[in-house]
Amino acid sequence: MIVILMNYGMFLKSRTFQNLKCTKTLSFWHLGDIIECLRREAKLLFSLALIVTAVSAASLAETGGQLNLGTSNVSIVTGIYAYTVDYCNAGYECFGYACFTDWDGTGGGGRAGWCNLTSITSCYHNGTATATGSSECDTSTSYRTCSSGTWGSSTSCSSNNTCSAGACSSSTSSSSSSSSGGSSSSAGDFNQKISVLSSPSDFNITQGTKALKTIIIKNTGNRTLFNVSVSVSGIEASWVSIGPDRVNITINANATFGMEFIIPSDATAKVYDVTANVATGNSSVSTSAGFKVFVIPTEETVQREIIPNYNNASSRLSELEKKVEGLGETCTDVKILESNRDEIREKMKKIQEYLDAKDYVRANTLIEEVTKGLDELNQKILNTAPGTCGLGINVDPVYIIAGVAGVGIVGVLAYLFWPQGSAAGYHPEKGWTQPKQQKPPKKKKDEFLYDFKRGK
């Protein structure tokens, strides 16, 4: 605006106002006359500015309708206030929309999730939407389920199952079929295949003890398999000793591998989803088998770790519940926080049931999940800005700024278009008006009084 006025002033200084109905040269004007002429001529400029603003992208942008974003979110300039709705860490960053957080906290743009309509019930992961009630694999042996826009906690598949396309299925059969399909060669009848005849079933093992298990591998192809080996994942590799190291298996022959599990006394007592991976010298020929290892805690571990960890989780939950309640009292949108809180509450109830039944393995496994959930809830609370309540009304700072701007615009309009009096100076409609001459005040007639006694 200042630049426009400066340029406009230079124009006035260099020319007469014949085209602008200002007929007197600038050099004969006073500052008040310049301002008056600018005020009159600025009506047209200001009217044009209002028209341009009215048809601009900011004015015509979405203010309360639908964000037709489909299944992936993009940056949207929304409303006459022109704020941007795209990625978010919490709901307050979405300006009235909901923040849909990814389960791994990496939605995009360095943020935890995406903004979208509050009516959306899908969940988002890496830009892909999953309908409520559907599941997605977060690891090879676990999955998460979408519930009304919020991802649930990670759920493990049952024994010998792996997760694929959001569902658990038998890993042995799928692995064998996949390996048989993937191990075929296009060269005549050359065909290498391998399968698992037997693998360990789910078993319990107490901290500080050992257990010996076996896995039997068969060559089901028509060529000898070289350098066949077995390794494990899902549990500390140093806890498992496997032998022999490598073997060659001829056509239709079997090979047995021993697996000795040596669990340390300080191992975490929980359920371990273990996968036995079978590899050969040909990288395309492989298979696997899954099973669960329940590491049972000693009584000392129960009293020293599990019970205190449960009590600590209970205390943390109480503290976070108060924080969520406090945010709600400031008119903050806490629906997502309340959903996470309720999910943790249900898990805490389940932990208590496991403890009462002395099922310390499942209790401790669930305590670990609750601890992660509490960390996530605490981070979301930290990322949520408190609302502002006034007389029970949530006042968005954007509306305050808009109100102040509106008052300013009304003031400018009043100044530009309010009828002016017939003051002295130049008036574009009337021309030059001479200042009125002030008549000198009338003098009172002098009164002459003669004091005969005093001679005056």
Side-chain angles (χ1 to χ4, degrees):
M1 182 60 73
I2 294 174
V3 173
I4 293 174
L5 291 177
M6 290 176 62
N7 292 333
Y8 199 53
M10 293 296 294
F11 171 74
L12 296 178
K13 187 175 180 180
S14 60
R15 309 178 71 121
T16 62
F17 281 136
Q18 292 179 358
N19 295 334
L20 300 178
K21 299 181 182 179
C22 297
T23 57
K24 197 165 183 68
T25 310
L26 182 64
S27 59
F28 293 100
W29 289 0
H30 299 289
L31 178 61
D33 301 325
I34 297 174
I35 293 176
E36 175 61 20
C37 190
L38 284 174
R39 186 188 73 81
R40 297 302 181 92
E41 299 303 327
K43 291 180 181 179
L44 177 60
L45 295 177
F46 193 81
S47 299
L48 291 175
L50 286 178
I51 295 173
V52 172
T53 302
V55 299
S56 65
S59 293
L60 298 179
E62 190 274 335
T63 57
Q66 293 187 351
L67 281 174
N68 298 312
L69 302 180
T71 57
S72 61
N73 292 48
V74 296
S75 296
I76 298 294
V77 176
T78 177
I80 197 167
Y81 315 116
Y83 46 70
T84 301
V85 176
D86 48 15
Y87 301 111
C88 58
N89 288 318
Y92 75 92
E93 296 179 316
C94 294
F95 298 95
Y97 297 100
C99 182
F100 295 83
T101 55
D102 200 331
W103 72 61
D104 57 7
T106 55
R111 306 294 185 87
W114 299 264
C115 296
N116 210 327
L117 292 173
T118 55
S119 60
I120 297 295
T121 57
S122 299
C123 300
Y124 292 93
H125 174 60
N126 294 342
T128 301
T130 299
T132 184
S134 301
S135 302
E136 289 291 335
C137 299
D138 56 353
T139 69
S140 60
T141 57
S142 62
Y143 62 92
R144 291 175 185 259
T145 302
C146 175
S147 176
S148 299
T150 303
W151 287 109
S153 59
S154 182
T155 303
S156 299
C157 297
S158 59
S159 176
N160 294 324
N161 284 0
T162 58
C163 187
S164 177
C168 296
S169 59
S170 174
S171 60
T172 303
S173 59
S174 63
S175 299
S176 299
S177 60
S178 63
S179 63
S180 61
S183 60
S184 299
S185 172
S186 59
D189 61 350
F190 183 79
N191 191 9
Q192 290 184 317
K193 294 182 179 180
I194 194 170
S195 62
V196 176
L197 288 184
S198 68
S199 62
S201 302
D202 300 348
F203 66 95
N204 299 338
I205 181 170
T206 305
Q207 292 173 322
T209 62
K210 301 178 182 180
L212 182 61
K213 304 293 178 179
T214 59
I215 181 172
I216 301 176
I217 311 300
K218 182 175 182 177
N219 182 350
T220 55
N222 58 9
R223 290 291 186 275
T224 297
L225 297 175
F226 297 94
N227 297 320
V228 179
S229 62
V230 176
S231 61
V232 295
S233 58
I235 197 171
E236 291 291 335
S238 59
W239 298 357
V240 186
S241 178
I242 302 175
D245 183 35
R246 296 177 185 275
V247 297
N248 299 330
I249 306 177
T250 57
I251 301 172
N252 291 326
N254 302 336
T256 300
F257 289 82
M259 298 189 294
E260 184 179 24
F261 291 81
I262 307 173
I263 307 301
S265 58
D266 60 349
T268 301
K270 68 173 188 178
V271 181
Y272 292 86
D273 292 294
V274 181
T275 301
N277 303 296
V278 182
T280 69
N282 185 342
S283 59
S284 64
V285 182
S286 62
T287 187
S288 63
F291 53 93
K292 295 182 182 295
V293 177
F294 296 80
V295 175
I296 308 299
T298 61
E299 185 61 28
E300 180 185 359
T301 300
V302 172
Q303 299 302 324
R304 188 185 70 249
E305 296 181 10
I306 296 179
I307 300 299
N309 288 344
Y310 171 73
N311 293 335
N312 181 58
S314 181
S315 299
R316 287 191 64 194
L317 177 59
S318 298
E319 293 176 2
L320 296 180
E321 285 175 335
K322 293 178 181 178
K323 291 182 179 181
V324 172
E325 183 179 353
L327 286 172
E329 292 175 352
T330 63
C331 302
T332 304
D333 183 3
V334 293
K335 288 185 292 185
I336 295 178
L337 300 179
E338 289 175 340
S339 175
N340 296 148
R341 175 204 62 193
D342 294 341
E343 183 179 350
I344 295 174
R345 283 177 176 175
E346 291 301 317
K347 289 184 178 181
M348 291 296 289
K349 292 179 181 178
K350 197 68 177 177
I351 293 172
Q352 186 60 61
E353 294 176 5
Y354 287 146
L355 292 176
D356 294 340
K358 298 187 182 302
D359 189 348
Y360 298 119
V361 175
R362 286 187 171 87
N364 199 43
T365 300
L366 205 52
I367 288 173
E368 283 196 346
E369 293 184 14
V370 166
T371 300
K372 293 179 181 178
L374 290 170
D375 292 338
E376 292 176 1
L377 178 58
N378 182 60
Q379 188 60 48
K380 289 179 180 179
I381 291 174
L382 294 175
N383 291 334
T384 302
T388 52
C389 289
L391 300 177
I393 301 174
N394 187 8
V395 181
D396 193 324
V398 173
Y399 296 119
I400 297 176
I401 297 173
V404 173
V407 172
I409 291 174
V410 170
V412 173
L413 288 173
Y415 173 74
L416 291 176
F417 296 98
W418 194 268
Q420 300 295 311
S422 57
Y426 179 79
H427 299 273
E429 292 87 353
K430 298 180 180 180
W432 185 267
T433 302
Q434 294 291 342
K436 291 182 179 180
Q437 298 294 330
Q438 298 291 336
K439 294 182 179 180
K442 292 182 178 181
K443 295 183 178 180
K444 293 183 180 180
K445 293 182 179 180
D446 297 336
E447 295 180 358
F448 183 79
L449 297 178
Y450 186 83
D451 189 345
F452 290 94
K453 293 180 179 182
R454 302 175 62 179
K456 296 182 179 178

